[in-house]
Amino acid sequence: MKFHIQTWGCQMNDHDGEKLSGLLSVEGFEPVDSVEQAELVLLNTCSIREKAVHKVYSELGRLREVKQRRPLLVGVTGCPAQQEQAALFKRAPHIDFVLGTMALKQLPRLVAEAQAGMTRVMDTGEYPDNHLFPSSVTRRRDTAKALVTITEGCNHACTYCIVPTTRGAERHRPCEEVLAEVRSLATGGYREVELLGQNVNSYAGGCTFAELLERVSEVEGLEWIRFTTSHPMNFTRELARVLVTNPKVAPFLHLPLQSGSDRVLKRMSREYTVAEYLERLEYLGEGRAKLTLSTDFIVGFPGETDEDFEATMRVLDEVAFDGSFSFIYSPRPGTPSLRLKDDLPVGVKSERLTRLQQSQGRLTQASNDRFVGRQIPVRIETHGPTEHGWWLARSGEWKTIHLVAGPDRSLPFGELVQARITMASPHFLGAELV
Ligand code: 5AD
Ligand code: SF4
């Protein structure tokens, strides 16, 4: 049977897609690149904001049309599957099975049941070993950079966030198991790993997260280690030290701030004040200058006043983030923030978002400008030059690089090369091969 998995959302979801693909491949199923070729389509979906959930229903609508023309099995997994459970069948009766986020290994069984003609097949149970996934099964998309789960779930309770409901409480993979996976990846030719968790900083699989980073960095053959994502309250001095001193840890930190107003942070239950967030950045000391720093903002949280928003704009400028992701608050089912009065007109929210993104655009341009003239290592991310003649690459600081290599050069995919930065635009750095 030919299957196609369509994934959107965060890196955790990307990696779940790789695990699910591996599970089906082990059973003898054949992966294909499009819905048209597939006999089984699995939607691996996201519900962090309402827009992502709309995409679930619009993709399901598309699949219903395909299913009217020919036999097709349709499965749904990811956060909306865990959240909606059997309600999904009501809204989209052509779904054959629903798989929860904490029951990934049940996929082959659910598919077999659906193939046998059972309808409305579902497993949204919490399997305590979900995070203990055999590395040999995972079917990774990239051959140079590998995603590696270290924790699943989140023990924080931000009032806007659906993740604690859809991904459950924290479970940590034992340190030795993470190391064994990383060693086998390095032996298999991987040069970079990204350690994944809803909150990697609270890692407790037998050592601290900082210790885990140090131990992973000792694995021979690895060139860069990245991690995502981090809660400021679990960002320790020890972690800051490892980040600025360990040459294998990529010089990039994503530390979500969400708002620059203490009043809003409190209503979000973020557990820190702006001053405490800034104190975490001070842990980085002078090493901070070598890093790029990015963050997340939610704009238009219920009750956000003009003053609250201006406070966010001031912190944005003060920290001068190299990049940020910003979103208008999206009410999520079952979250505590639904009880807060939200009477701010959507036009005001959009204006605030635009202003924030324009300011960030200027900061990102300034951050990119600082790279011009420098020589830095970058990893080649394409197998050949684009039609414009340059290669796509990525720096340790998470900058997108357009690399000119000369007409006769063939650059090895996945390798680190030295690049001299020649120009900076808002979205990428132009560079030439050294
Ligand atoms: N509305 C808008 N943005 C949200 N995020 C999480 N939940 C919501 C929501 N309900 C944002 C946060 C988080 C990022 C992954 O998504 O900024 O850090
Ligand atoms: Fe959601 Fe907050 Fe946990 Fe992040 S830290 S996943 S925003 S509850």
Side-chain angles (χ1 to χ4, degrees):
M1 189 177 226
K2 294 178 178 166
F3 72 94
H4 177 64
I5 302 182
Q6 210 175 321
T7 297
W8 61 95
C10 61
Q11 286 98 323
M12 293 291 265
N13 236 34
D14 281 345
H15 192 35
D16 282 351
E18 296 180 331
K19 292 176 181 174
L20 295 165
S21 178
L23 284 169
L24 292 178
S25 300
V26 164
E27 296 288 317
F29 290 57
E30 185 195 336
V32 291
D33 289 335
S34 69
V35 170
E36 286 65 40
Q37 299 163 275
E39 299 159 279
L40 160 65
V41 174
L42 180 58
L43 298 182
N44 181 24
T45 62
C46 170
S47 61
I48 193 87
R49 284 170 290 276
E50 206 176 356
K51 211 168 141 195
V53 180
H54 283 159
K55 185 165 172 183
V56 183
Y57 289 106
S58 90
E59 292 299 323
L60 279 170
R62 218 161 64 93
L63 294 177
R64 190 182 51 230
E65 286 169 22
V66 178
K67 217 172 156 164
Q68 280 160 357
R69 294 198 304 271
R70 64 171 175 90
L72 178 72
L73 282 184
V74 174
V76 179
T77 186
C79 286
Q82 191 66 41
Q83 175 82 21
E84 299 292 322
Q85 310 208 359
L88 276 171
F89 294 122
K90 283 221 179 79
R91 243 184 108 171
H94 61 294
I95 297 175
D96 296 288
F97 65 93
V98 170
L99 173 70
T101 56
M102 292 172 269
L104 299 191
K105 283 180 245 175
Q106 305 310 309
L107 175 65
R109 177 175 59 81
L110 299 198
V111 172
E113 288 176 4
Q115 274 181 309
M118 285 172 66
T119 55
R120 301 192 164 200
V121 176
M122 182 171 88
D123 194 340
T124 50
E126 282 192 43
Y127 290 81
D129 68 342
N130 193 58
H131 61 301
L132 306 175
F133 197 89
S135 175
S136 54
V137 171
T138 308
R139 220 182 122 255
R140 294 187 152 82
R141 279 189 312 179
D142 197 326
T143 53
K145 178 186 162 192
L147 304 172
V148 175
T149 303
I150 66 162
T151 88
E152 284 185 2
C154 180
N155 285 355
H156 289 278
C158 305
T159 53
Y160 52 79
C161 187
I162 203 161
V163 167
T165 323
T166 58
R167 297 271 174 177
E170 277 175 9
R171 289 94 60 202
H172 306 280
R173 246 177 113 195
C175 174
E176 288 307 328
E177 202 181 304
V178 173
L179 286 168
E181 176 163 21
V182 172
R183 281 190 206 107
S184 84
L185 288 166
T187 310
Y190 281 90
R191 278 101 185 294
E192 186 173 330
V193 293
E194 182 162 354
L195 305 179
L196 294 183
Q198 256 81 36
N199 181 14
V200 288
N201 300 173
S202 66
Y203 178 72
C207 63
T208 65
F209 180 58
E211 284 162 357
L212 182 69
L213 271 182
E214 295 271 45
R215 293 187 64 187
V216 169
S217 75
E218 286 157 12
V219 174
E220 217 168 298
L222 276 192
E223 291 160 342
W224 271 335
I225 303 151
R226 302 185 186 274
F227 55 91
T228 195
T229 182
S230 302
H231 190 289
M233 283 322 271
N234 303 105
F235 187 81
T236 59
R237 284 185 191 277
E238 191 198 7
L239 175 54
R241 182 188 57 76
V242 175
L243 180 56
V244 298
T245 57
N246 190 313
K248 295 274 181 80
V249 180
F252 170 70
L253 174 64
H254 181 71
L255 197 62
L257 170 61
Q258 312 300 0
S259 168
S261 153
D262 286 343
R263 211 181 62 87
V264 174
L265 288 173
K266 191 146 193 227
R267 289 159 72 89
M268 290 178 166
S269 290
R270 283 293 286 175
E271 306 167 35
Y272 54 82
T273 60
V274 172
E276 282 168 325
Y277 181 93
L278 298 176
E279 200 184 302
R280 300 297 180 279
L281 296 185
E282 277 167 25
Y283 291 173
L284 297 165
E286 296 188 348
R288 158 105 191 268
K290 286 193 293 183
L291 302 182
T292 48
L293 186 64
S294 81
T295 198
D296 291 340
F297 289 110
I298 295 177
V299 169
F301 189 73
E304 184 191 70
T305 62
D306 281 337
E307 294 80 66
D308 292 323
F309 178 67
E310 295 309 326
T312 297
M313 293 295 282
R314 277 196 301 277
V315 180
L316 177 76
D317 269 337
E318 184 185 335
V319 177
F321 291 100
D322 297 273
S324 68
F325 300 93
S326 44
F327 318 94
I328 289 182
Y329 165 73
S330 171
R332 308 310 303 126
T335 56
S337 62
L338 284 183
R339 290 195 293 271
L340 301 173
K341 193 161 149 222
D342 184 13
D343 51 7
L344 198 63
V346 67
V348 175
K349 295 187 182 198
S350 304
E351 267 170 43
R352 287 181 186 171
L353 185 71
T354 306
R355 262 188 69 200
L356 191 150
Q357 291 182 342
Q358 280 170 349
S359 278
Q360 182 61 61
R362 287 189 286 274
L363 292 171
T364 303
Q365 177 73 62
S367 160
N368 287 351
D369 286 342
R370 283 194 290 277
F371 279 81
V372 176
R374 281 178 62 191
Q375 184 178 317
I376 55 169
V378 301
R379 180 181 307 291
I380 310 294
E381 287 195 334
T382 41
H383 288 277
T386 64
E387 61 196 46
H388 309 288
W390 37 258
W391 301 65
L392 258 184
R394 174 125 4 223
S395 77
E397 297 85 358
W398 202 243
K399 298 282 185 191
T400 301
I401 311 290
H402 292 182
L403 184 65
V404 177
D408 304 323
R409 287 298 298 267
S410 177
L411 298 180
F413 172 84
E415 274 189 27
L416 283 187
V417 297
Q418 287 291 325
R420 186 174 302 106
I421 308 301
T422 52
M423 64 81 76
S425 87
H427 302 295
F428 64 89
L429 296 172
E432 53 191 30
L433 191 68
V434 174

